Every structure is written in C-alpha cells, then in structure tokens.
C-alpha cells in the first residue's frame, strides 16, 4: 500500500484496484489498436463493419467495445464496491438534466477521447477513467494506446507513467516559469477567434497542437508543454473529457482550474465543463489565471470564466 493512500469505498484496496486498472487499460489499448488498424479485436468483440457496408464504423464499434470491456471489468472485479459507473456511452440513459447522480463514489469513463484523431490516424487519442468523490477526483487513469503509456494519478500520493512491462517513469514538469516562455498545448480541431485573441493577449512562448485532452495533459506531465486552455464556444467539454486528466495532473502537483481560480466540479447536474479552464504545471498558474480572466473581460464581456 502506497503512503497517503486515498480513502476508498469499503472493501476496496488501492493496490488491488491499480492491478485491475492496469489489466483493463492494456486490454482497452489492444481493442482500440485493433479497430484503428482494421484488424480483428481481442476479447470476443466483433470486427467493425465499414460505413460503406451500411454498418457502424470503427469509431462507434471501438467506443462501444471499450465501454463494455471497462464497465464489465469493474463490475466483475468489484461486485460489492459501493460506487456507480458512468461513461460517455451510458450518460444519456443515466443522467437527468440538472440532477446529480445519487452516488458518493462515481467512476467517470471515456472509452475513446479524441474521436477525430482516431479517425485521422494521428494516434492522439486516449482512454480516461476517473474515480470521483463529492464532485472532486480521487484517482485518475489516462491511457495512450499508440504511445503505450499508462498514466496514473492518485490524489495525495502522486502520479507516474507505466509501460506494458510495468516500468515506471516519473512526471517531468518543465522549469519554465516566465509567461513569455511557457509552451501551450492547443487543440487541433476546437479553436475559435476568441481563443486566438486570448492567446495573443497572453503572449506565450509557443504552442503545440495535440488531439485528446488526455494527450494534451500528458505533454505537460512530460515537460514538453506547460499549459492547456479550454475556452468554451458553441459546445463545452464534458465531465468525462476532464476528470481523469485533471486527476493525474493534480496528483502530480499541477493545477487545473477556471480562470477565476474555481475548482472544476463533477457530477454537479450539468456535465458541461464550460468557461475558461486552465491546466498547467503550476509554476505560473495564478499569474496565468489573472491574465486570462482580465483578457476575457475585454474579448467577451460577461463571459463566465
């Protein structure tokens, strides 16, 4: 048992939980890699039909297969655990607008974060698993199948990366601290004029375009970049986009907040994570938030950061 292990539901041991999460995560990686390459997926899942054949395409098949694999795995390995399971794929059936789920402990899963990147073959897609208690994450898992990286974050205990052989690598935040030197990781597919204006105002040191939120946050954890900004436009990211990456980043000692300093809240009755959200290695987080909030007052007066 690692030091400062988080309080978990009765009967759930952290090391046992991590063991099962490893197996489920690498199984999910095998499923996604097979669908991405048009191969026969493992664990009894059917090969995807092409859209041209009138069947569901690889994204839908991969989403549903990984979703089933994770949900079945958690249920089978922890049949008595006092938690509820929620995924992007089950949300429509489970959620009622304005009403949080009646669960002290809640798993929030995204079986495939970065759908466009999965389709485009960039490799920048991820699987997210987060255990939330009282609207805040306790534990997070971000799996990058193509990079063969499995990131764990346990709030109060730390964060680390594992490969398939179980070899661990530490978080390596950069030491860049001056705002003018910071490297931004930005979306490939979700950018608008307000975000461009905000970035111009912040005058950062450079930027890198990456797909999935999980993939973005891991670039911060490796020290390749220093911050990520999510600025809601017509749509906003959802709980399953943010919970696991936030958990890993926070466990590593980084920061992930609204531009006004508010924490993100999960299972609040509204799955949208709207506003101006900033994730960073933490060295200049308060300064970044203050500058972003001030800039947004000019760019879009009345916008709730």
């Amino acid at each position: 048992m690692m030091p400062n292990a988080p309080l978990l539901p009765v009967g759930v041991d952290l090391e046992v939980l991590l063991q099962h999460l490893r197996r489920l995560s690498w199984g999910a990686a095998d499923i996604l890699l097979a669908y991405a390459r048009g191969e026969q997926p493992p664990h009894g899942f059917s090969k995807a039909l092409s859209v041209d054949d009138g069947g569901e395409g690889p994204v839908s098949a991969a989403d549903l297969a990984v979703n089933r694999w994770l949900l079945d795995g958690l249920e089978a390995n922890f049949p008595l655990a006092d938690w509820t399971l929620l995924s992007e794929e089950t949300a429509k059936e489970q959620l009622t607008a304005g009403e949080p789920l009646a669960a002290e402990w809640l798993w929030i899963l995204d079986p495939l974060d970065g759908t466009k990147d999965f389709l485009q073959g960039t490799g920048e897609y991820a699987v997210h698993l987060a255990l939330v208690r009282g609207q805040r994450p306790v534990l997070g898992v971000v799996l990058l199948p193509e990079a063969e990286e499995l990131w764990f974050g346990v709030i109060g205990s730390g964060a680390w990366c594992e490969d398939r052989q179980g070899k661990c690598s530490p978080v390596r935040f950069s030491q860049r601290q001056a705002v003018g030197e910071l490297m931004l990781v930005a979306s490939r597919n979700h950018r608008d004029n307000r975000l461009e204006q905000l970035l111009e105002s912040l005058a950062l040191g450079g930027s890198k375009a990456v797909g999935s939120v999980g993939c973005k946050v891991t670039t911060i954890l490796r020290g390749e970049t220093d911050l990520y900004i999510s600025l809601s436009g017509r749509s906003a990211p959802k709980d399953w986009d943010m919970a696991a990456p936030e958990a890993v980043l926070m466990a590593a000692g980084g920061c992930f907040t609204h531009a006004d300093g508010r924490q993100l809240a999960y299972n609040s009755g509204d799955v949208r994570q709207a506003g101006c959200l900033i994730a960073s290695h933490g060295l200049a987080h308060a300064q970044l938030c203050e500058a972003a909030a001030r800039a947004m007052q000019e760019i879009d007066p009345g916008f709730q950061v």
Side-chain angles (χ1 to χ4, degrees):
M1 178 70 70
M2 62 177 59
N4 303 317
L7 181 66
L8 293 171
V10 174
V12 178
D13 176 81
L14 178 61
E15 288 300 339
V16 173
L17 176 58
L18 293 176
Q19 274 187 342
H20 286 298
L21 289 172
R22 289 183 184 100
R23 183 182 63 81
L24 291 173
S25 295
W26 291 121
D30 291 336
I31 294 168
L32 286 172
L33 290 169
Y35 280 116
R37 288 153 177 67
E39 299 169 356
Q40 178 64 48
H43 310 299
F45 292 103
S46 60
K47 192 172 180 180
L49 297 173
S50 73
V51 176
D52 294 337
D53 295 331
E56 291 191 337
V59 173
S60 294
D63 261 325
L64 295 172
V66 174
N67 184 65
R68 191 74 269 148
W69 169 256
L70 295 175
L71 293 180
D72 286 352
L74 286 169
E75 289 171 350
N77 290 300
F78 300 96
L80 302 179
D82 185 21
W83 56 38
T84 298
L85 307 180
L86 171 71
S87 82
E88 181 178 13
E89 299 301 325
T90 63
K92 285 184 179 178
E93 294 85 48
Q94 286 182 269
L95 298 178
T96 300
E99 297 181 14
L101 288 173
E104 178 185 3
W105 296 93
L106 178 67
W107 278 104
I108 300 177
L109 312 179
D110 190 343
L112 177 55
D113 185 61
T115 300
K116 287 186 179 178
D117 284 271
F118 183 85
L119 276 173
Q120 293 165 358
T122 69
E124 294 167 0
Y125 58 89
V127 179
H128 297 170
L129 303 92
L131 181 59
V132 169
R133 185 189 192 194
Q135 298 191 337
R136 295 292 299 148
V138 170
L139 181 153
V141 181
V142 174
L143 166 72
L144 309 185
E146 300 283 352
E148 297 216 324
E149 292 182 357
L150 180 58
W151 289 88
F152 286 101
V154 182
I155 300 298
S157 297
W160 67 96
C161 181
E162 298 182 8
D163 63 16
R164 279 187 184 259
Q165 287 69 48
K167 180 181 178 182
C168 294
S169 303
V171 171
R172 293 186 174 90
F173 287 143
S174 90
Q175 294 305 302
R176 292 180 288 267
Q177 190 163 353
V179 171
E181 296 176 352
L182 298 181
M183 290 293 296
L184 172 82
V185 59
S187 293
R188 289 187 191 281
N189 302 304
H190 302 285
R191 302 183 72 143
D192 63 13
N193 186 54
R194 293 177 314 151
L195 179 59
E196 298 297 346
Q197 292 179 66
L198 175 57
L199 297 181
E200 183 179 350
S201 174
L202 292 176
L204 302 168
S207 68
K208 177 178 182 176
V210 172
S212 154
V213 177
C215 290
K216 291 183 182 72
V217 168
T218 59
T219 68
I220 300 174
L221 295 165
R222 293 190 215 98
E224 299 164 9
T225 67
D226 306 303
L227 74 150
Y228 160 57
I229 298 175
S230 170
L231 187 63
S232 301
R234 293 181 180 177
S235 63
K238 309 296 192 297
D239 281 5
W240 39 84
D241 297 311
M242 299 304 200
E246 186 201 350
V248 179
L249 185 62
M250 295 289 288
C255 298
F256 203 148
T257 69
H258 287 262
D260 62 5
R262 286 180 298 127
Q263 290 184 323
L264 280 64
Y266 301 97
N267 192 30
S268 67
D270 182 355
V271 297
R272 296 173 303 162
Q273 292 292 339
C276 180
L277 314 182
I278 301 178
S280 82
H281 60 10
L283 295 180
H285 194 80
Q287 188 178 355
L288 282 167
C289 286
E290 183 180 339
R294 187 169 57 246
M296 287 307 300
Q297 289 177 359
E298 298 292 328
I299 295 167
D300 189 355
F303 179 80
Q304 177 61 53
V305 298

